[in-house]
Amino acid sequence: MSKIAYRKIVVERFGGTETMRPVEATLAEPPPGYARVKVLASGVGFTDLMARSGDYLLQRKVPFTPGYELVGEIVDFTPDGPRPAWLQEGVRVAVSLTKMAAYTEYISLPLWQLVPLPDGLDPLAAATIPLDYLTALSVLETHGRVATGDTVLIQGASGGVGQALSRLGALRGLRMYGTASAPGAEELLARHGVTFIDYRRQDFETVLREREPGGVQAVFDHIGGAGLRKAYRALSPGGVLVSYAFSGRPGRMVGDTVRGAARVKVMNLRPGRRAALSMVPFEIKGDHAWYRAGLERVLEMAARGAIAPRIGSVHPLMKAADVHAALESREITGKAVLVTDQV
Ligand SMILES: NC(=O)c1ccc[n+]([C@@H]2O[C@H](COP(=O)([O-])OP(=O)(O)OC[C@H]3O[C@@H](n4cnc5c(N)ncnc54)[C@H](OP(=O)(O)O)[C@@H]3O)[C@@H](O)[C@H]2O)c1
């Protein structure tokens, strides 16, 4: 085994896309309990853009490599205990990271974090799955505890996490409302039976009061701010508000996240309704078994076509800065995937 020379994208200082650049590095042999993985594709999430600008609660210090999710091939590994049969060189794996670093050609990862791709699953489609779908599982199951027939509101149902919530929600037989504004959002939401609310022109609380006078069983929110109180009011007795981000005011998200998380905790003290906070990187770190079982489950669902992850666009890894710029200007929409030369 020898050192591997590779390239990765580094954010050199917090700011715009000009702060991102390719950097050459080398990867040493894996220590016990680690594998070296050749990355094929990485998913781009809104969180990556927040982290680049220094506006993210779980912020990495600069210089850092963005990206929470990837698909790759095991190059080599050093076991530190009994080896599962699937763990072999050349096996394709999906990974959700607890600290960003996915915009890279190679990476060293702990063995517990590698989840094998089921046969036949396209690696690019798989790269769109880990963070968004684990977040959806956390929101729907761990915190939301929703049941078939429940009525829910998904804020931002056209986004990466919002689409994962919609797809898994449809499979669970939820009745769903979703806020969005992007062109084509109404048709996109309709594919999963989600009733569209245009958040630029309609007030979701008014719509829900008219159409669901008894309230909804759950609201899933990533915006925060004044919308949280409205969402709480829209709940039926026993209903739950699950917050998974506080991204309504770009540039002020760290403070808003701290305040928003405190507000959710206070809301949860009131009797009659619940409020909960989903923080997936912590949940992965705290419960490896939940992470592995959840990711295995959604990958298997994708492999058999029960969920159809939607790739918005595909770009070379080294063009990551252009992809951030295009997402910010809304030149491209949907889930962007970065691919290495090795895919
Ligand atoms: N808790 C966790 O562990 C966790 C995990 C993953 C992501 N996140 C966070 O979740 C958030 C969403 O991430 P993502 O990757 O899904 O982002 P994304 O793909 O950019 O989606 C954002 C969504 O928000 C919608 N939106 C924007 N402004 C809105 C408003 N005022 N009201 C309602 N909806 C609005 C957008 O709708 P249109 O484009 O249709 O206007 C879009 O559907 C981010 O803040 C991210 O950091 C948290």
Side-chain angles (χ1 to χ4, degrees):
M1 290 197 282
S2 58
K3 285 188 175 177
I4 297 173
Y6 70 103
R7 292 173 303 166
K8 59 185 177 180
I9 299 293
V10 163
V11 172
E12 294 182 305
R13 59 187 191 287
F14 299 133
T17 54
E18 74 286 352
T19 64
M20 298 168 76
R21 70 175 183 91
V23 164
E24 294 185 353
T26 54
L27 201 58
E29 291 175 13
Y34 279 75
R36 289 192 292 193
V37 172
K38 177 171 77 175
V39 177
L40 303 174
S42 317
V44 179
F46 182 72
T47 319
D48 305 347
L49 280 61
M50 290 161 59
R52 189 204 71 227
S53 58
D55 194 20
Y56 177 46
L57 187 69
L58 310 182
Q59 189 68 61
R60 306 298 317 274
K61 288 193 181 111
V62 282
F64 75 97
T65 294
Y68 263 132
E69 55 193 356
L70 63 87
V71 164
E73 260 172 33
I74 298 176
V75 178
D76 50 18
F77 59 90
T78 311
D80 61 350
R83 181 169 68 86
W86 66 262
L87 182 58
Q88 314 245 4
E89 289 172 9
V91 164
R92 289 186 167 178
V93 292
V95 178
S96 196
L97 301 171
T98 55
K99 292 177 181 167
M100 296 187 161
Y103 293 10
T104 185
E105 292 177 334
Y106 284 86
I107 189 167
S108 182
L109 290 168
L111 296 174
W112 66 262
Q113 221 160 6
L114 312 179
V115 174
L117 280 201
D119 286 344
L121 183 57
D122 170 38
L124 270 58
T128 69
I129 291 178
L131 183 64
D132 290 349
Y133 276 86
L134 284 170
T135 306
L137 290 181
S138 161
V139 166
L140 290 167
E141 297 180 354
T142 309
H143 301 286
R145 301 180 220 150
V146 291
T148 302
D150 280 355
T151 303
V152 306
L153 171 69
I154 302 168
Q155 299 281 31
S158 56
V161 178
Q163 281 287 292
L165 286 166
S166 305
R167 290 189 181 102
L168 295 180
L171 290 174
R172 283 172 169 262
L174 301 183
R175 294 180 62 240
M176 297 178 283
Y177 291 84
T179 56
S181 79
E186 185 164 9
E187 294 73 31
L188 183 67
L189 270 57
R191 272 187 228 158
H192 306 292
V194 179
T195 302
F196 172 62
I197 301 174
D198 184 339
Y199 65 78
R200 290 168 313 176
R201 290 184 302 186
Q202 293 170 288
D203 173 49
F204 73 82
E205 191 184 9
T206 310
V207 174
L208 291 180
R209 200 182 299 126
E210 282 165 9
R211 303 203 41 182
E212 304 293 334
V216 297
Q217 280 72 54
V219 177
F220 310 133
D221 184 272
H222 65 300
I223 298 295
L228 284 186
R229 271 194 298 275
K230 290 168 158 220
Y232 194 80
R233 287 197 295 261
L235 294 175
S236 64
V240 59
L241 165 63
V242 184
S243 286
Y244 62 94
F246 303 88
S247 59
R249 297 194 300 173
R252 303 169 76 165
M253 287 185 226
V254 172
D256 284 355
T257 303
V258 172
R259 277 187 292 278
R263 186 183 292 179
V264 168
K265 293 242 180 261
V266 171
M267 279 176 169
N268 198 40
L269 297 175
R270 295 185 210 154
R273 293 170 175 82
R274 281 194 301 123
L277 200 57
S278 161
M279 296 280 257
V280 170
F282 288 148
E283 290 168 23
I284 294 173
K285 222 184 292 180
D287 191 344
H288 296 178
W290 172 81
Y291 160 73
R292 296 192 59 80
L295 189 47
E296 271 167 23
R297 183 151 52 107
V298 287
L299 291 171
E300 187 273 326
M301 288 165 90
R304 67 178 155 86
I307 54 171
R310 201 174 59 104
I311 302 171
S313 53
V314 179
H315 314 266
L317 170 65
M318 293 300 135
K319 298 283 181 196
D322 296 344
V323 176
H324 276 213
L327 284 168
E328 276 165 353
S329 64
R330 288 194 158 217
E331 234 171 87
I332 55 171
T333 54
K335 186 83 181 176
V337 176
L338 301 173
V339 289
T340 61
D341 298 340
Q342 326 185 78
V343 72

